[in-house]
């Protein structure tokens, strides 16, 4: 292939409360990929992400991140993860949006160092990129659901990550806002070369914008998304034989991420 | 303590008053800042647990003729790590773990006190605070501890804020959550001990919790919330010291009443506005 694998998973088995949720997963994520993670609810998408990040123990299998075994990997500043329930914080927590996003600059390297002007300018440009500059002085509890999600992505961006992992970032957000969000992510992927892995239920967005697909329902199947890809062939492996997804490429708006 | 005929200007000249203000302001500053983190972590009652554990340490110190502040510090550190051990090992929830440590420390104190033949005046001063009669040596110790606490917070308040907001994400971001949390526990114990001379074991929880509670009602961003917390704590302590110097009433009691007054004022203002 010649492409650099940022994540390599082999023979991964993960159990949660006694039952196997991920069975014998094997896949790779390459630099520059824009990967959609799809599958039915309860199929193990979040479990897979958490195990990949070492936040959940695994039964067996190897996981390598940026060429290193997960257990020995320490350059976490390269990876940004926005969890599904990031937005379920205490609405009374005393933080402004700008303050929260600035916490993304923290890490092992900056331990105990005050934030400098260049840190704050990164914060401000991430807020602007995500379109929430106007809300920067607001308290985080005052934001709408969509704004909260964009705030957490901004917090991920200020870390200058090479890989961003997002778990259902647009759940419960209106269609127009979702579309804008996917556009932003395409921009990040294409213009800044950031590798993106995103759990999504919006199959149209996945097939229009993303370059690869990971289908998760206990088993994990991976496919390249090409103009001639038949979505149903792979989706049925996760959603069952009766699943039928009607998709016409001409419905896609904006650019294709991988054409 | 002094007759009402003494003017405020005279008061400023008394050494006991200067010592009290210096010790009080430092303690209130450290307590307020630490307290904001504890309130946000929903761990406020740990303060009460550790303070009561400290009673055991003070009794031991008085019994064996060691500086009670130092023996209390040692016992409180054991107490605070005991609470977090019980919690982390799943042996007890945070509130139950606190209750166990509180009872254990206080019982140890009672046993030592009974062996020593009962409560002494000294012991009372630790239970209820005695800031107006703080010695030069105690003041030096309290100041040194307060400077250590404030130095730690100045360096690591951002990291503590991130951990308080979301521990798992902080770990992923490479913030050393475990070591920082351990040092934070240590700092909590130190803060409690340095405040015992000022406000006493029974009421130290108020000095730590009330300023943060009052400031949180203002719904400000974090930086401003820290400033408001510390201001409320310091202001209440200074007011408490001044009033108690004039009217010869218990300083710790007046400090707590001032804080509760400010808290109620802000709370009703927040409800109206």
């Amino acid at each position: 292939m010649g492409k650099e694998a940022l994540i390599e998973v082999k023979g991964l088995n993960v159990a949660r409360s006694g039952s196997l949720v991920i069975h014998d997963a094997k896949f790779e994520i390459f630099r520059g990929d824009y990967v959609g993670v799809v599958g039915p609810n309860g199929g193990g998408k979040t479990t897979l992400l958490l195990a990949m990040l070492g936040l959940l123990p695994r039964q067996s299998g190897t996981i390598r991140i940026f060429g290193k075994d997960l257990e020995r990997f320490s350059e976490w500043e390269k990876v940004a993860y926005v969890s599904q329930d990031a937005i379920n914080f205490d609405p009374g927590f005393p933080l402004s949006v700008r303050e929260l996003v600035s916490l993304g600059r923290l890490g092992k390297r900056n331990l105990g160092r005050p934030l400098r002007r260049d840190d704050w300018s990164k914060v401000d440009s991430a807020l602007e990129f995500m379109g929430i500059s106007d809300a920067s002085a607001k308290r985080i509890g005052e934001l709408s659901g969509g704004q909260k999600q964009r705030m957490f992505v901004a917090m991920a961006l200020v870390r200058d990550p090479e890989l961003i992992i997002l778990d259902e970032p647009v759940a419960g957000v209106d269609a127009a806002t979702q579309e804008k969000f996917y556009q932003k992510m395409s921009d990040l992927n294409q213009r800044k070369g950031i590798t993106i892995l995103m759990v999504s239920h919006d199959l149209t967005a996945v097939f229009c914008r993303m370059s690869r697909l990971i289908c998760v329902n206990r088993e994990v199947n991976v496919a390249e998304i090409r103009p001639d890809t038949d979505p149903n062939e792979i989706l049925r492996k996760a959603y069952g034989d009766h699943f039928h997804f009607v998709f016409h490429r001409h419905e896609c708006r904006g650019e294709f991420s991988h054409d | 303590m002094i007759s009402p005929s003494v003017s405020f200007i005279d008061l400023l000249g008394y050494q006991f008053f200067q010592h009290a203000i210096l010790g009080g302001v430092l303690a209130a500053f450290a307590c307020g800042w630490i307290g904001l983190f504890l309130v946000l972590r929903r761990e406020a009652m740990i303060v009460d647990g550790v303070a009561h554990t400290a009673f055991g340490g003070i009794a031991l110190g008085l019994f064996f003729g060691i500086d009670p502040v130092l023996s209390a510090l040692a016992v409180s550190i054991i107490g605070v790590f005991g609470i977090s051990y019980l919690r982390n090992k799943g042996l007890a929830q945070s509130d139950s773990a606190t209750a166990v440590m509180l009872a254990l420390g206080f019982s140890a104190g009672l046993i030592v006190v009974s062996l020593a033949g009962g409560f002494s005046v000294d012991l009372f001063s630790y239970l209820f605070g005695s800031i107006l009669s703080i010695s030069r040596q105690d003041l030096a110790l309290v100041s040194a501890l307060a400077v250590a606490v404030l130095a730690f917070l100045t360096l690591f308040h951002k990291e503590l804020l991130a951990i308080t907001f979301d521990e798992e994400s902080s770990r992923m971001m490479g913030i050393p959550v475990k070591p920082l949390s351990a040092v934070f526990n240590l700092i909590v114990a130190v803060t409690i001990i340095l405040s015992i001379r000022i406000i006493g074991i029974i009421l130290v929880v108020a000095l730590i919790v009330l300023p943060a509670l009052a400031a949180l009602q203002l719904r400000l961003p974090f930086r401003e919330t820290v400033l408001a917390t510390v201001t409320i704590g310091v202001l209440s302590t200074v007011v408490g010291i001044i009033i108690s110097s004039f009217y010869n009433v218990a300083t710790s009691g007046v400090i707590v009443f001032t804080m509760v007054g400010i808290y109620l004022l802000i709370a009703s203002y927040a409800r109206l506005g």
Side-chain angles (χ1 to χ4, degrees):
Chain A
M1 293 287 283
K3 283 199 282 185
E4 180 194 353
L6 299 193
I7 293 188
E8 301 159 81
V9 170
K10 262 185 224 156
L12 176 68
N13 287 296
V14 187
R16 278 185 112 164
S17 38
S19 60
L20 208 57
V21 181
I22 295 295
H23 176 64
D24 199 24
K26 178 183 186 305
F27 62 91
E28 285 160 321
I29 289 161
F30 298 104
R31 188 179 287 282
D33 272 351
Y34 186 4
V35 187
V37 181
V38 302
N41 285 328
K45 300 185 292 291
T46 299
T47 302
L48 179 65
L49 298 190
L50 292 177
M52 267 167 43
L53 294 167
L55 297 173
L56 209 62
R58 58 185 188 270
Q59 264 51 47
S60 58
T62 57
I63 299 169
R64 290 170 72 81
I65 299 192
F66 288 88
K68 282 211 178 90
D69 281 330
L70 178 62
E71 281 66 27
R72 288 178 35 216
F73 180 70
S74 60
E75 298 161 281
W76 287 105
E77 62 277 1
K78 290 182 178 173
V79 186
Y81 166 59
V82 181
S83 89
Q84 202 175 3
D85 48 26
I87 63 164
N88 299 325
F89 53 79
D90 167 11
F93 204 94
L95 269 173
S96 71
V97 172
R98 193 164 179 262
E99 282 176 327
L100 176 84
V101 171
S102 78
L103 294 182
R105 291 296 297 160
L106 303 182
K108 211 171 32 184
R109 285 177 308 178
N110 305 341
L111 202 63
R113 165 173 84 62
L115 294 180
R116 294 189 292 239
R117 189 170 298 169
D118 59 314
D119 294 308
W120 287 108
S121 73
K122 272 194 195 330
V123 169
D124 291 330
S125 54
L127 287 168
E128 186 159 350
F129 182 79
M130 293 312 296
I132 46 171
S133 294
D134 292 347
S136 69
K138 280 192 180 173
R139 294 236 308 184
I140 55 173
E142 295 170 11
L143 299 190
S144 70
Q147 287 176 315
K148 283 178 189 166
Q149 278 149 338
R150 280 184 281 163
M151 169 179 77
F152 282 109
V153 177
M155 185 183 175
L157 288 180
V158 297
R159 317 189 54 212
D160 293 329
E162 293 174 32
L163 169 65
I164 297 186
I165 299 176
L166 304 165
D167 196 349
E168 288 203 52
V170 286
V173 173
D174 67 83
T177 310
Q178 283 195 15
E179 180 53 33
K180 255 192 271 174
F181 184 81
Y182 285 120
Q183 184 61 50
K184 287 289 178 202
M185 292 301 108
S186 293
D187 282 357
L188 276 182
N189 177 244
Q190 290 170 324
R191 294 198 198 151
K192 303 195 176 174
I194 298 176
T195 309
I196 300 175
L197 186 76
M198 186 193 297
V199 172
S200 177
H201 282 294
D202 186 344
L203 295 173
T204 305
V206 171
F207 277 90
C208 284
R209 295 192 173 276
M210 305 191 191
S211 60
R212 293 172 81 226
L213 177 70
I214 295 183
C215 254
V216 186
N217 189 8
R218 197 158 173 273
E219 291 187 1
V220 177
N221 290 289
V222 186
E224 301 283 323
I225 300 173
R226 296 206 177 85
D228 58 346
T229 306
D230 173 12
N232 285 301
E233 197 179 316
I234 172 132
L235 291 175
R236 279 180 188 148
K237 290 179 184 169
Y239 290 93
D241 287 341
H242 300 293
F243 186 82
H244 187 70
F245 168 56
V246 182
F247 173 68
H248 301 290
R249 189 154 283 279
H250 59 78
E251 286 173 5
C252 295
R253 285 189 283 168
E255 297 162 288
F256 298 118
S257 57
H258 52 289
D259 284 354
Chain B
M1 186 138 270
I2 47 180
S3 78
S5 60
V6 173
S7 74
F8 183 63
I9 304 295
D10 292 335
L11 188 60
L12 293 178
Y14 286 112
Q15 201 181 43
F16 84 89
F17 183 79
Q18 294 163 353
H19 284 175
I21 292 287
L22 179 61
V25 165
L26 281 171
F29 204 108
C31 281
W33 205 351
I34 279 283
L36 181 59
F37 284 112
L38 285 168
V39 168
L40 290 173
R41 292 160 73 109
R42 299 171 199 282
E43 288 178 346
M45 283 317 285
I46 283 183
V47 176
D48 213 28
V50 174
H52 282 76
T53 311
F55 173 75
I58 286 162
L60 280 170
L62 290 173
F63 188 69
F64 289 110
I66 313 164
D67 186 337
V69 175
L70 292 177
S71 57
L73 186 60
V75 173
S76 311
I77 290 169
I78 296 170
V80 78
F81 282 101
I83 290 169
S84 83
Y85 180 83
L86 288 174
R87 200 175 42 185
N88 294 340
K89 294 284 164 187
L91 295 166
Q93 299 278 330
S94 188
D95 53 347
S96 327
T98 305
V100 169
M101 276 300 155
L102 186 155
L104 201 62
F106 207 77
S107 309
L110 282 181
I111 291 171
V112 175
V113 166
S114 58
L115 287 176
F119 281 83
S120 63
V121 178
D122 261 0
L123 199 55
F124 268 108
S125 79
Y126 287 101
L127 279 174
F128 306 112
S130 59
I131 186 171
L132 297 183
S133 58
I134 191 167
S135 70
R136 187 180 287 272
Q137 188 197 350
D138 274 352
L139 182 67
L141 191 54
V142 164
S143 305
L145 294 177
V147 167
V149 169
L150 294 176
F152 173 74
L153 288 176
T154 303
L155 283 175
F156 298 111
H157 67 279
K158 298 183 307 306
E159 283 80 3
L160 288 173
L161 176 61
I163 295 171
T164 303
F165 184 72
D166 185 341
E167 196 171 310
E168 191 167 78
S169 304
S170 303
R171 197 170 290 129
M172 255 222 66
M173 280 164 40
I175 297 174
V177 172
K178 245 188 175 171
L180 275 180
S181 300
V183 181
F184 179 75
N185 282 341
L186 193 76
I187 291 292
V188 168
V190 170
T191 307
I192 292 166
I193 298 309
L194 78 89
S195 316
I196 283 178
R197 258 313 193 185
I198 312 298
I199 195 164
I201 286 169
I202 312 288
L203 293 176
V204 61
V205 68
L207 194 59
I208 289 187
V209 172
L210 274 169
L213 274 186
L216 283 169
Q217 300 279 330
L218 292 167
R219 310 193 140 269
L220 296 167
F222 193 73
R223 224 179 95 90
E224 287 76 4
T225 306
V226 172
L227 289 173
T229 304
V230 167
T231 306
I232 292 166
V234 168
L235 190 73
S236 308
T237 306
V238 171
V239 168
I241 292 169
I242 293 172
I243 291 179
S244 63
S245 309
F246 275 116
Y247 296 103
N248 197 17
V249 284
T251 314
S252 48
V254 183
I255 292 174
V256 173
F257 261 86
T258 313
M259 284 191 297
V260 171
I262 293 176
Y263 170 66
L264 290 177
L265 218 66
I266 292 176
S268 39
Y269 167 78
R271 292 288 174 282
L272 289 172

